[in-house]
Amino acid sequence: MHSPVPRVPQQPTSRRPEIQLGRLTAELATVVASARRRALRDGDRHIDTAHLLHSLVESDPEVGAAFEGGAPQLARVRGYLVQRSIGYGLRWRGSVEDSGALDVVRDAAAAAGWSPTAAAAMDGAWERAALRGDQRARGLDLLAVIAADPDSRAVEVLRRAGVDPLALADRIGELSQQV
């Protein structure tokens, strides 16, 4: 007597199962690598938008210039991010960031070590670059998309630091047109 072959459910397919580093500028590829290290060091299973924001403000000079409040505002943002990384203040450990921004990337993003919201932000950065006629996304592309998602962890950090995320996204749009 043969037992029936168990049916293995098919995994949903995703538009993008992994982050395509070839579609990033060298600066943004450095940001992604730094965010990955930060997530691992913090004991988080997924890169989220706060990891990306932290790496962006630390290593991309264009991103720093986008903050209208200048150095004091940027220092407040960094302060919240540092508090988060040492386990004080904003407490997200053990949960996966998911603002519901893009359903189709959830499973693949989680499997690749990205929160669904961070993966959707990377997709959005590539879309901004394509609209500009560029094949590679820049840090400002990623920051603009992150700032425009009201439910992302990065936006929570920005708000607590006194940054208006929508005004930041608008300012980035203005800066992008100047480049």
Side-chain angles (χ1 to χ4, degrees):
M1 176 173 177
H2 291 288
S3 54
V5 176
R7 185 177 173 282
V8 178
Q10 295 294 317
Q11 294 296 322
T13 58
S14 160
R15 285 189 349 201
R16 184 201 34 76
E18 61 188 45
I19 300 302
Q20 300 165 5
L21 294 178
R23 294 180 60 196
L24 309 176
T25 61
E27 295 82 7
L28 190 51
T30 299
V31 164
V32 169
S34 175
R36 185 178 313 278
R37 285 189 303 272
R38 186 174 306 288
L40 289 171
R41 184 177 58 237
D42 291 350
D44 296 327
R45 292 179 43 214
H46 301 98
I47 296 170
D48 65 27
T49 58
H51 293 122
L52 291 169
L53 177 64
H54 201 155
S55 296
L56 280 166
V57 298
E58 280 188 343
S59 62
D60 192 324
E62 280 188 322
V63 166
F67 285 85
E68 194 167 32
Q73 191 176 61
L74 202 51
R76 284 192 303 276
V77 170
R78 284 185 175 141
Y80 276 100
L81 290 164
V82 167
Q83 285 181 3
R84 185 250 178 148
S85 69
I86 62 173
Y88 180 77
L90 302 171
R91 301 197 187 274
W92 298 309
R93 187 155 303 187
S95 65
V96 176
E97 174 187 39
D98 185 3
S99 69
L102 196 57
D103 286 339
V104 294
V105 298
R106 283 194 178 128
D107 293 333
W114 289 79
S115 76
T117 305
M122 292 301 298
D123 282 341
W126 288 318
E127 289 171 13
R128 279 181 54 91
L131 288 173
R132 196 177 56 250
D134 199 343
Q135 294 181 1
R136 296 177 189 260
R138 299 184 346 230
L140 284 179
D141 294 320
L142 181 58
L143 182 60
V145 174
I146 287 172
D149 184 347
D151 297 319
S152 73
R153 291 180 177 174
V155 164
E156 185 177 346
V157 169
L158 292 170
R159 284 189 188 122
R160 288 182 182 230
V163 176
D164 178 349
L166 295 179
L168 177 62
D170 288 344
R171 181 162 164 78
I172 294 167
E174 293 168 11
L175 290 172
S176 295
Q177 290 175 356
Q178 295 172 5
V179 174

